[in-house]
Amino acid sequence: MCFLSNLIWLSSNLCSNDAAQPWQFGFQDGGSPSYEGIVELHDDIMFYLILILVGVAWMLMSTIRKFNWNHNQIVHKYLNHGTVLELIWTISPALVLIAIAFPSFKLLYLLDEVIDPVMTVKAIGNQWYWSYEYSDYLDQEGQSIEFDSYLVPESDLEIGDLRLLEVDNRVVVPVDTHIRFIVTARDVIHSFAVPSLGVKLDCIPGRLNQFSLVINREGVFYGQCSELCGVLHGFMPVVIEAVSLEQYLAWLSDQIPPYLTKEGYTPCIYLCITHLPSVC
Amino acid sequence: MALAPITGILRKRLIFDISAGLGLGLACSYAYWYGVHIPSVRKRDAFYAKLAQEKSQ
Ligand SMILES: [Cu+2]
């Protein structure tokens, strides 16, 4: 009943969390161009899917109805060969596959592209938490911003917190900024995934994987480790908090000690130069 | 009693079934496209248009 009412409510008023919610049907609302691309591809494929579903269901029903023994007692006459039919059921799936393959490859190569990112965040999977490094900013000793991000246990949750999704330290990143994420792992394979940003990438010990991300809007985006990594696999969520550039710079300057970029700028000036040349 | 001619029945049925099946399928596909996909895109675009407007203010 709950499922049904949710289904009706969701299909009439589609506005989802940036996290999975109980009885959710369909996708979360998107927050990045790659997510929009993925949903676009899904919808494209869904078009053909419905076409095939209805076409095949019709043929099946019609075959059951017209070719049963009661209805047609010389049915065996037709049961051996049909060149036209075979041609149709060979060529039309091929055409459908081609129609699906092209947008699919286009999206695949687009998602793979990391062009000229403004900042880099490194995410490292551990059993069973994530560590993050902002290696663009260094303090006087050459240390970059580093922190661990653990699940908030149920006993510490506050009202409004999402159970098994909230972490103590979120990844804070600015919106509308080209960010490069580099992911890896320290022990076993993990997978860095945030559905509403269209992100899922394996973190493999000894290897670096990368993806680029532009977040379209402010918000808190939740995800979970998506590669079975041990007993607490389900208890190492990812939380990305997208904030405005000003708030991001405030967050950066809250990280003590004071950090400079590799070029020796303060993060504020550096981001200004790279991100807002029109303002500087 | 004379039997009805039984030639060409399969072909006729086949053509009818294929065109009806694919026609209905195409109709459902377009119903999905214009009933679900396009409205969701429109909703999303409206959200971002509103966001851009709020930002520019
Ligand atoms: Cu894991």
Side-chain angles (χ1 to χ4, degrees), chain A residues 18-43:
Chain A
D18 297 323
Q21 55 193 49
W23 297 100
Q24 176 165 352
F25 184 81
F27 292 125
Q28 298 169 25
D29 283 339
S32 77
S34 28
Y35 175 91
E36 313 295 1
I38 291 167
V39 171
E40 190 82 31
L41 180 69
H42 164 272
D43 288 4

PDB file of all heavy atoms in Angstrom, chain A residues 18-43:
ATOM      1  N   ASP A  18      18.397  14.247  -2.529  1.00  0.00           N
ATOM      2  CA  ASP A  18      19.688  13.903  -3.116  1.00  0.00           C
ATOM      3  C   ASP A  18      20.260  12.694  -2.396  1.00  0.00           C
ATOM      4  O   ASP A  18      21.470  12.522  -2.285  1.00  0.00           O
ATOM      5  CB  ASP A  18      20.633  15.103  -3.045  1.00  0.00           C
ATOM      6  CG  ASP A  18      20.102  16.251  -3.868  1.00  0.00           C
ATOM      7  OD1 ASP A  18      19.524  15.978  -4.931  1.00  0.00           O
ATOM      8  OD2 ASP A  18      20.232  17.408  -3.457  1.00  0.00           O
ATOM      9  N   ALA A  19      19.373  11.890  -1.877  1.00  0.00           N
ATOM     10  CA  ALA A  19      19.742  10.636  -1.240  1.00  0.00           C
ATOM     11  C   ALA A  19      18.605   9.666  -1.511  1.00  0.00           C
ATOM     12  O   ALA A  19      17.503  10.076  -1.841  1.00  0.00           O
ATOM     13  CB  ALA A  19      19.899  10.820   0.270  1.00  0.00           C
ATOM     14  N   ALA A  20      18.890   8.390  -1.384  1.00  0.00           N
ATOM     15  CA  ALA A  20      17.825   7.413  -1.566  1.00  0.00           C
ATOM     16  C   ALA A  20      16.802   7.588  -0.460  1.00  0.00           C
ATOM     17  O   ALA A  20      17.151   7.891   0.674  1.00  0.00           O
ATOM     18  CB  ALA A  20      18.407   6.005  -1.522  1.00  0.00           C
ATOM     19  N   GLN A  21      15.521   7.435  -0.782  1.00  0.00           N
ATOM     20  CA  GLN A  21      14.509   7.554   0.252  1.00  0.00           C
ATOM     21  C   GLN A  21      13.630   6.313   0.259  1.00  0.00           C
ATOM     22  O   GLN A  21      13.590   5.579  -0.716  1.00  0.00           O
ATOM     23  CB  GLN A  21      13.689   8.823   0.062  1.00  0.00           C
ATOM     24  CG  GLN A  21      13.054   8.961  -1.302  1.00  0.00           C
ATOM     25  CD  GLN A  21      12.529  10.370  -1.499  1.00  0.00           C
ATOM     26  OE1 GLN A  21      13.231  11.343  -1.251  1.00  0.00           O
ATOM     27  NE2 GLN A  21      11.293  10.469  -1.929  1.00  0.00           N
ATOM     28  N   PRO A  22      12.921   6.088   1.392  1.00  0.00           N
ATOM     29  CA  PRO A  22      12.146   4.847   1.489  1.00  0.00           C
ATOM     30  C   PRO A  22      11.147   4.730   0.343  1.00  0.00           C
ATOM     31  O   PRO A  22      10.502   5.700  -0.019  1.00  0.00           O
ATOM     32  CB  PRO A  22      11.413   4.993   2.830  1.00  0.00           C
ATOM     33  CG  PRO A  22      12.225   5.955   3.608  1.00  0.00           C
ATOM     34  CD  PRO A  22      12.818   6.895   2.615  1.00  0.00           C
ATOM     35  N   TRP A  23      11.057   3.557  -0.212  1.00  0.00           N
ATOM     36  CA  TRP A  23      10.116   3.237  -1.278  1.00  0.00           C
ATOM     37  C   TRP A  23      10.306   4.105  -2.508  1.00  0.00           C
ATOM     38  O   TRP A  23       9.381   4.335  -3.264  1.00  0.00           O
ATOM     39  CB  TRP A  23       8.666   3.367  -0.795  1.00  0.00           C
ATOM     40  CG  TRP A  23       8.352   2.396   0.294  1.00  0.00           C
ATOM     41  CD1 TRP A  23       8.303   2.648   1.633  1.00  0.00           C
ATOM     42  CD2 TRP A  23       8.085   1.006   0.155  1.00  0.00           C
ATOM     43  NE1 TRP A  23       8.030   1.508   2.315  1.00  0.00           N
ATOM     44  CE2 TRP A  23       7.869   0.486   1.433  1.00  0.00           C
ATOM     45  CE3 TRP A  23       8.003   0.146  -0.951  1.00  0.00           C
ATOM     46  CZ2 TRP A  23       7.596  -0.853   1.652  1.00  0.00           C
ATOM     47  CZ3 TRP A  23       7.712  -1.185  -0.723  1.00  0.00           C
ATOM     48  CH2 TRP A  23       7.511  -1.666   0.569  1.00  0.00           C
ATOM     49  N   GLN A  24      11.485   4.612  -2.681  1.00  0.00           N
ATOM     50  CA  GLN A  24      11.704   5.474  -3.847  1.00  0.00           C
ATOM     51  C   GLN A  24      11.511   4.706  -5.139  1.00  0.00           C
ATOM     52  O   GLN A  24      11.924   3.565  -5.272  1.00  0.00           O
ATOM     53  CB  GLN A  24      13.112   6.067  -3.804  1.00  0.00           C
ATOM     54  CG  GLN A  24      13.402   6.898  -5.044  1.00  0.00           C
ATOM     55  CD  GLN A  24      14.617   7.778  -4.878  1.00  0.00           C
ATOM     56  OE1 GLN A  24      15.154   7.881  -3.792  1.00  0.00           O
ATOM     57  NE2 GLN A  24      15.033   8.396  -5.942  1.00  0.00           N
ATOM     58  N   PHE A  25      10.866   5.367  -6.082  1.00  0.00           N
ATOM     59  CA  PHE A  25      10.668   4.792  -7.409  1.00  0.00           C
ATOM     60  C   PHE A  25      11.296   5.744  -8.405  1.00  0.00           C
ATOM     61  O   PHE A  25      10.982   6.919  -8.408  1.00  0.00           O
ATOM     62  CB  PHE A  25       9.166   4.624  -7.662  1.00  0.00           C
ATOM     63  CG  PHE A  25       8.849   3.951  -8.961  1.00  0.00           C
ATOM     64  CD1 PHE A  25       8.913   2.575  -9.076  1.00  0.00           C
ATOM     65  CD2 PHE A  25       8.494   4.700 -10.064  1.00  0.00           C
ATOM     66  CE1 PHE A  25       8.626   1.952 -10.271  1.00  0.00           C
ATOM     67  CE2 PHE A  25       8.203   4.077 -11.264  1.00  0.00           C
ATOM     68  CZ  PHE A  25       8.274   2.699 -11.365  1.00  0.00           C
ATOM     69  N   GLY A  26      12.197   5.273  -9.206  1.00  0.00           N
ATOM     70  CA  GLY A  26      12.842   6.142 -10.189  1.00  0.00           C
ATOM     71  C   GLY A  26      14.100   6.778  -9.648  1.00  0.00           C
ATOM     72  O   GLY A  26      14.615   6.389  -8.604  1.00  0.00           O
ATOM     73  N   PHE A  27      14.583   7.776 -10.363  1.00  0.00           N
ATOM     74  CA  PHE A  27      15.876   8.374 -10.046  1.00  0.00           C
ATOM     75  C   PHE A  27      15.749   9.481  -9.014  1.00  0.00           C
ATOM     76  O   PHE A  27      14.683  10.051  -8.808  1.00  0.00           O
ATOM     77  CB  PHE A  27      16.500   8.980 -11.298  1.00  0.00           C
ATOM     78  CG  PHE A  27      16.906   7.964 -12.318  1.00  0.00           C
ATOM     79  CD1 PHE A  27      16.442   8.057 -13.615  1.00  0.00           C
ATOM     80  CD2 PHE A  27      17.762   6.935 -11.981  1.00  0.00           C
ATOM     81  CE1 PHE A  27      16.821   7.120 -14.562  1.00  0.00           C
ATOM     82  CE2 PHE A  27      18.144   6.000 -12.922  1.00  0.00           C
ATOM     83  CZ  PHE A  27      17.672   6.099 -14.215  1.00  0.00           C
ATOM     84  N   GLN A  28      16.908   9.816  -8.426  1.00  0.00           N
ATOM     85  CA  GLN A  28      16.977  11.023  -7.612  1.00  0.00           C
ATOM     86  C   GLN A  28      17.080  12.220  -8.551  1.00  0.00           C
ATOM     87  O   GLN A  28      17.372  12.068  -9.724  1.00  0.00           O
ATOM     88  CB  GLN A  28      18.219  10.966  -6.710  1.00  0.00           C
ATOM     89  CG  GLN A  28      18.190   9.806  -5.741  1.00  0.00           C
ATOM     90  CD  GLN A  28      19.509   9.599  -5.038  1.00  0.00           C
ATOM     91  OE1 GLN A  28      20.308  10.510  -4.895  1.00  0.00           O
ATOM     92  NE2 GLN A  28      19.751   8.375  -4.609  1.00  0.00           N
ATOM     93  N   ASP A  29      16.847  13.416  -8.003  1.00  0.00           N
ATOM     94  CA  ASP A  29      17.023  14.604  -8.826  1.00  0.00           C
ATOM     95  C   ASP A  29      18.509  14.809  -9.093  1.00  0.00           C
ATOM     96  O   ASP A  29      19.337  14.575  -8.224  1.00  0.00           O
ATOM     97  CB  ASP A  29      16.456  15.826  -8.104  1.00  0.00           C
ATOM     98  CG  ASP A  29      14.941  15.850  -8.200  1.00  0.00           C
ATOM     99  OD1 ASP A  29      14.412  15.197  -9.106  1.00  0.00           O
ATOM    100  OD2 ASP A  29      14.300  16.508  -7.372  1.00  0.00           O
ATOM    101  N   GLY A  30      18.823  15.255 -10.270  1.00  0.00           N
ATOM    102  CA  GLY A  30      20.220  15.361 -10.662  1.00  0.00           C
ATOM    103  C   GLY A  30      20.876  16.637 -10.168  1.00  0.00           C
ATOM    104  O   GLY A  30      20.202  17.618  -9.874  1.00  0.00           O
ATOM    105  N   GLY A  31      22.203  16.604 -10.081  1.00  0.00           N
ATOM    106  CA  GLY A  31      22.925  17.792  -9.663  1.00  0.00           C
ATOM    107  C   GLY A  31      24.120  18.092 -10.535  1.00  0.00           C
ATOM    108  O   GLY A  31      24.887  18.996 -10.228  1.00  0.00           O
ATOM    109  N   SER A  32      24.303  17.340 -11.619  1.00  0.00           N
ATOM    110  CA  SER A  32      25.486  17.571 -12.451  1.00  0.00           C
ATOM    111  C   SER A  32      25.180  17.222 -13.901  1.00  0.00           C
ATOM    112  O   SER A  32      24.270  16.441 -14.170  1.00  0.00           O
ATOM    113  CB  SER A  32      26.646  16.710 -11.952  1.00  0.00           C
ATOM    114  OG  SER A  32      26.463  15.378 -12.371  1.00  0.00           O
ATOM    115  N   PRO A  33      25.923  17.809 -14.836  1.00  0.00           N
ATOM    116  CA  PRO A  33      25.692  17.509 -16.257  1.00  0.00           C
ATOM    117  C   PRO A  33      25.856  16.029 -16.578  1.00  0.00           C
ATOM    118  O   PRO A  33      25.120  15.501 -17.416  1.00  0.00           O
ATOM    119  CB  PRO A  33      26.764  18.334 -16.972  1.00  0.00           C
ATOM    120  CG  PRO A  33      27.135  19.405 -16.029  1.00  0.00           C
ATOM    121  CD  PRO A  33      26.972  18.821 -14.655  1.00  0.00           C
ATOM    122  N   SER A  34      26.791  15.346 -15.913  1.00  0.00           N
ATOM    123  CA  SER A  34      26.955  13.922 -16.241  1.00  0.00           C
ATOM    124  C   SER A  34      25.705  13.140 -15.838  1.00  0.00           C
ATOM    125  O   SER A  34      25.296  12.216 -16.536  1.00  0.00           O
ATOM    126  CB  SER A  34      28.201  13.331 -15.577  1.00  0.00           C
ATOM    127  OG  SER A  34      28.538  13.989 -14.400  1.00  0.00           O
ATOM    128  N   TYR A  35      25.094  13.539 -14.716  1.00  0.00           N
ATOM    129  CA  TYR A  35      23.850  12.879 -14.311  1.00  0.00           C
ATOM    130  C   TYR A  35      22.760  13.110 -15.364  1.00  0.00           C
ATOM    131  O   TYR A  35      22.046  12.184 -15.745  1.00  0.00           O
ATOM    132  CB  TYR A  35      23.395  13.397 -12.947  1.00  0.00           C
ATOM    133  CG  TYR A  35      22.062  12.843 -12.551  1.00  0.00           C
ATOM    134  CD1 TYR A  35      21.967  11.671 -11.823  1.00  0.00           C
ATOM    135  CD2 TYR A  35      20.891  13.473 -12.940  1.00  0.00           C
ATOM    136  CE1 TYR A  35      20.741  11.143 -11.492  1.00  0.00           C
ATOM    137  CE2 TYR A  35      19.661  12.959 -12.610  1.00  0.00           C
ATOM    138  CZ  TYR A  35      19.593  11.798 -11.886  1.00  0.00           C
ATOM    139  OH  TYR A  35      18.371  11.279 -11.577  1.00  0.00           O
ATOM    140  N   GLU A  36      22.649  14.352 -15.824  1.00  0.00           N
ATOM    141  CA  GLU A  36      21.621  14.646 -16.835  1.00  0.00           C
ATOM    142  C   GLU A  36      21.855  13.803 -18.082  1.00  0.00           C
ATOM    143  O   GLU A  36      20.905  13.314 -18.694  1.00  0.00           O
ATOM    144  CB  GLU A  36      21.627  16.137 -17.223  1.00  0.00           C
ATOM    145  CG  GLU A  36      21.671  17.137 -16.080  1.00  0.00           C
ATOM    146  CD  GLU A  36      20.454  17.135 -15.179  1.00  0.00           C
ATOM    147  OE1 GLU A  36      19.538  16.328 -15.417  1.00  0.00           O
ATOM    148  OE2 GLU A  36      20.436  17.938 -14.218  1.00  0.00           O
ATOM    149  N   GLY A  37      23.119  13.640 -18.437  1.00  0.00           N
ATOM    150  CA  GLY A  37      23.453  12.828 -19.606  1.00  0.00           C
ATOM    151  C   GLY A  37      23.015  11.388 -19.427  1.00  0.00           C
ATOM    152  O   GLY A  37      22.482  10.768 -20.343  1.00  0.00           O
ATOM    153  N   ILE A  38      23.229  10.868 -18.231  1.00  0.00           N
ATOM    154  CA  ILE A  38      22.868   9.481 -17.960  1.00  0.00           C
ATOM    155  C   ILE A  38      21.354   9.304 -18.027  1.00  0.00           C
ATOM    156  O   ILE A  38      20.846   8.342 -18.618  1.00  0.00           O
ATOM    157  CB  ILE A  38      23.413   9.056 -16.582  1.00  0.00           C
ATOM    158  CG1 ILE A  38      24.935   8.963 -16.638  1.00  0.00           C
ATOM    159  CG2 ILE A  38      22.830   7.724 -16.158  1.00  0.00           C
ATOM    160  CD1 ILE A  38      25.603   8.851 -15.294  1.00  0.00           C
ATOM    161  N   VAL A  39      20.616  10.256 -17.456  1.00  0.00           N
ATOM    162  CA  VAL A  39      19.154  10.150 -17.492  1.00  0.00           C
ATOM    163  C   VAL A  39      18.637  10.304 -18.917  1.00  0.00           C
ATOM    164  O   VAL A  39      17.706   9.616 -19.340  1.00  0.00           O
ATOM    165  CB  VAL A  39      18.520  11.190 -16.546  1.00  0.00           C
ATOM    166  CG1 VAL A  39      17.018  11.235 -16.733  1.00  0.00           C
ATOM    167  CG2 VAL A  39      18.837  10.841 -15.109  1.00  0.00           C
ATOM    168  N   GLU A  40      19.263  11.186 -19.672  1.00  0.00           N
ATOM    169  CA  GLU A  40      18.898  11.361 -21.078  1.00  0.00           C
ATOM    170  C   GLU A  40      19.062  10.042 -21.835  1.00  0.00           C
ATOM    171  O   GLU A  40      18.177   9.631 -22.588  1.00  0.00           O
ATOM    172  CB  GLU A  40      19.805  12.447 -21.685  1.00  0.00           C
ATOM    173  CG  GLU A  40      19.411  12.914 -23.065  1.00  0.00           C
ATOM    174  CD  GLU A  40      18.297  13.963 -23.029  1.00  0.00           C
ATOM    175  OE1 GLU A  40      18.248  14.725 -22.043  1.00  0.00           O
ATOM    176  OE2 GLU A  40      17.501  14.004 -23.976  1.00  0.00           O
ATOM    177  N   LEU A  41      20.175   9.375 -21.603  1.00  0.00           N
ATOM    178  CA  LEU A  41      20.412   8.081 -22.260  1.00  0.00           C
ATOM    179  C   LEU A  41      19.386   7.049 -21.801  1.00  0.00           C
ATOM    180  O   LEU A  41      18.857   6.278 -22.601  1.00  0.00           O
ATOM    181  CB  LEU A  41      21.828   7.583 -21.964  1.00  0.00           C
ATOM    182  CG  LEU A  41      22.170   6.233 -22.599  1.00  0.00           C
ATOM    183  CD1 LEU A  41      22.271   6.361 -24.110  1.00  0.00           C
ATOM    184  CD2 LEU A  41      23.447   5.648 -22.039  1.00  0.00           C
ATOM    185  N   HIS A  42      19.108   7.063 -20.500  1.00  0.00           N
ATOM    186  CA  HIS A  42      18.095   6.143 -19.967  1.00  0.00           C
ATOM    187  C   HIS A  42      16.757   6.348 -20.671  1.00  0.00           C
ATOM    188  O   HIS A  42      16.099   5.386 -21.076  1.00  0.00           O
ATOM    189  CB  HIS A  42      17.936   6.350 -18.458  1.00  0.00           C
ATOM    190  CG  HIS A  42      16.690   5.737 -17.902  1.00  0.00           C
ATOM    191  ND1 HIS A  42      15.492   6.410 -17.868  1.00  0.00           N
ATOM    192  CD2 HIS A  42      16.445   4.510 -17.402  1.00  0.00           C
ATOM    193  CE1 HIS A  42      14.570   5.611 -17.346  1.00  0.00           C
ATOM    194  NE2 HIS A  42      15.126   4.463 -17.048  1.00  0.00           N
ATOM    195  N   ASP A  43      16.375   7.613 -20.832  1.00  0.00           N
ATOM    196  CA  ASP A  43      15.090   7.899 -21.454  1.00  0.00           C
ATOM    197  C   ASP A  43      15.090   7.504 -22.928  1.00  0.00           C
ATOM    198  O   ASP A  43      14.088   6.992 -23.436  1.00  0.00           O
ATOM    199  CB  ASP A  43      14.735   9.383 -21.286  1.00  0.00           C
ATOM    200  CG  ASP A  43      14.359   9.697 -19.838  1.00  0.00           C
ATOM    201  OD1 ASP A  43      14.455   8.799 -18.995  1.00  0.00           O
ATOM    202  OD2 ASP A  43      13.976  10.853 -19.548  1.00  0.00           O
TER     203      ASP A  43
END
